[in-house]
Amino acid sequence: MEEYNRKHLKNIQTIVQRETGAAVASGVKTTGRRVGRPALIACSLLCFIALCAFAYVEFSALNGDDAGFAAIYQGNGRFEILVVNNSDKVLKIQDQVKVMQWSTAKEVEGNPGEIKMETLNIAPHSQGIVTIDLSAGYDIKAMEENLPEGDSYYFVLTNHNFAFGQDWMCFFDFEVEYRKALEAAVANNEVRMEAAKKKAAEQKYVTGSLAFQDWVWPAVSRNVSALYGTQGNGVFSDHINIAGESGEEVYGVADGVVIKAGYEGALGNMIVLELENGITVKYGHLKEIKVSEGDEVKQGQVIASLGQSGMATGPTLLFAVTVDGEAVDPLVSE
């Protein structure tokens, strides 16, 4: 256990020093005497808090409307990604990327370790180019030939890492386009952003009641933006989406116990509650989680805030219900 603690502490120190430039004490006195377990734990905790504080300051203020991405295929598995930073913060694109398929929400088969990626830091209210070369790690021809009609691929980029940074989706295809297309994308970026905002403002939402009438509604907003069931692209959705404002309260629909709370891929920050009679409810794309695994939750209790984590394209709450392990429609449409 002592050996594990020393290795764990050293890893934390390395991360903090790399990201902040601050030297962290080793936790060992120069006399050669061993430091007890409480001292090691205290030092580890301080390092962890410092790292979390650094991550929050650097990356928490970037929202979904603050950046735009356009992939321009150059041929032979090479892409140029136009990145437009509309925020007041420096956008620190990292040399990590995931290659995903839309219909499955799973990574494409290949070797991510062989991706060649040139990144950069993009100043506030400016744009830059990130290059991605998949040729060494992926069978590009197979990707082109095996993609079903109506399906698509997308990159997931990150401004720090896939644990606590902001993740960004960028769809791509294998149609070869040239610099003029990239220049046009830059010129039309503001138009596209305004059109997207207008479309969101004009979107017609569904309203309804929960299938379990004794439950309370899980969010402040009642605007259901996506329904349970087969979608227009043929993909089945086991949940509904509730559009709202980032930071709005999210509630426990009934009394239950938290059986899972944390970050999970496309869902982002998520919570699973176990209720009575074999029923579980899942909340996804949360901004902040306010409960922990094992906590008892009362009906109407604030358990999280609505956000845009994971693969959400705007502030939304993913809400799913299962009964004895089988997905059911959470909503009775009006």
Side-chain angles (χ1 to χ4, degrees), residues 23-77:
V24 181
S26 66
V28 180
K29 294 183 179 180
T30 57
T31 60
R33 294 178 59 189
R34 291 185 177 181
V35 177
R37 182 177 297 177
L40 282 172
I41 294 175
C43 188
S44 297
L45 182 60
L46 287 173
C47 293
F48 178 74
I49 292 171
L51 179 59
C52 290
F54 171 79
Y56 178 82
V57 170
E58 287 295 310
F59 308 118
S60 63
L62 291 170
N63 298 312
D65 293 335
D66 288 337
F69 298 81
I72 311 298
Y73 187 48
Q74 304 296 306
N76 299 320

Side-chain angles (χ1 to χ4, degrees), residues 50-261:
L51 179 59
C52 290
F54 171 79
Y56 178 82
V57 170
E58 287 295 310
F59 308 118
S60 63
L62 291 170
N63 298 312
D65 293 335
D66 288 337
F69 298 81
I72 311 298
Y73 187 48
Q74 304 296 306
N76 299 320
R78 186 176 181 276
F79 296 83
E80 289 188 343
I81 311 297
L82 166 68
V83 184
V84 181
N85 183 6
N86 294 317
S87 76
D88 295 324
K89 286 218 167 205
V90 175
L91 186 57
K92 302 181 179 180
I93 301 296
Q94 302 295 298
D95 58 350
Q96 302 176 70
V97 66
K98 296 179 180 178
V99 184
M100 310 288 290
Q101 185 170 342
W102 176 253
S103 62
T104 63
K106 295 181 179 178
E107 289 195 58
V108 176
E109 184 175 349
N111 186 356
E114 295 297 324
I115 296 176
K116 297 177 181 178
M117 187 172 177
E118 296 179 6
T119 62
L120 73 168
N121 294 341
I122 303 172
H125 305 288
S126 65
Q127 61 268 333
I129 302 295
V130 170
T131 64
I132 298 175
D133 187 348
L134 303 180
S135 59
Y138 291 80
D139 187 335
I140 303 302
K141 185 177 180 181
M143 288 179 66
E144 293 185 70
E145 294 177 348
N146 297 336
L147 185 68
E149 185 176 353
D151 202 355
S152 58
Y153 296 118
Y154 61 96
F155 293 120
V156 181
L157 301 101
T158 178
N159 76 317
H160 187 262
N161 58 49
F162 299 107
F164 56 78
Q166 172 71 58
D167 298 343
W168 309 94
M169 297 172 65
C170 178
F171 287 90
F172 67 88
D173 56 34
F174 296 100
E175 294 294 327
V176 178
E177 300 182 58
Y178 296 96
R179 179 65 60 178
K180 63 180 181 180
L182 194 60
E183 293 172 349
V186 174
N188 294 328
N189 176 67
E190 291 187 6
V191 175
R192 292 197 306 272
M193 294 291 288
E194 288 301 319
K197 291 179 180 179
K198 182 178 179 181
K199 181 179 179 181
E202 294 175 349
Q203 181 174 350
K204 302 298 182 182
Y205 295 105
V206 175
T207 58
S209 302
L210 294 177
F212 296 84
Q213 297 182 359
D214 56 338
W215 288 3
V216 299
W217 191 256
V220 174
S221 169
R222 298 187 70 91
N223 294 330
V224 179
S225 57
L227 294 172
Y228 174 95
T230 303
Q231 307 300 298
N233 59 3
V235 176
F236 181 82
S237 173
D238 65 353
H239 61 271
I240 63 172
N241 288 338
I242 303 171
E245 296 292 330
S246 180
E248 287 182 344
E249 293 179 338
V250 172
Y251 308 108
V253 293
D255 293 352
V257 177
V258 180
I259 59 173
K260 187 179 291 187

Side-chain angles (χ1 to χ4, degrees), residues 213-324:
Q213 297 182 359
D214 56 338
W215 288 3
V216 299
W217 191 256
V220 174
S221 169
R222 298 187 70 91
N223 294 330
V224 179
S225 57
L227 294 172
Y228 174 95
T230 303
Q231 307 300 298
N233 59 3
V235 176
F236 181 82
S237 173
D238 65 353
H239 61 271
I240 63 172
N241 288 338
I242 303 171
E245 296 292 330
S246 180
E248 287 182 344
E249 293 179 338
V250 172
Y251 308 108
V253 293
D255 293 352
V257 177
V258 180
I259 59 173
K260 187 179 291 187
Y263 191 93
E264 187 175 292
L267 284 174
N269 294 321
M270 53 84 71
I271 296 172
V272 178
L273 294 183
E274 183 176 60
L275 311 182
E276 295 180 342
N277 302 318
I279 300 173
T280 63
V281 293
K282 181 186 295 182
Y283 304 78
H285 305 317
L286 304 170
K287 180 177 182 180
E288 182 183 3
I289 297 173
K290 300 186 178 182
V291 292
S292 302
E293 292 184 14
D295 285 355
E296 294 186 359
V297 169
K298 295 297 183 182
Q299 185 177 57
Q301 178 181 334
V302 177
I303 61 172
S305 59
L306 186 144
Q308 193 179 330
S309 59
M311 294 294 100
T313 56
T316 188
L317 173 65
L318 178 150
F319 184 71
V321 179
T322 64
V323 179
D324 295 328

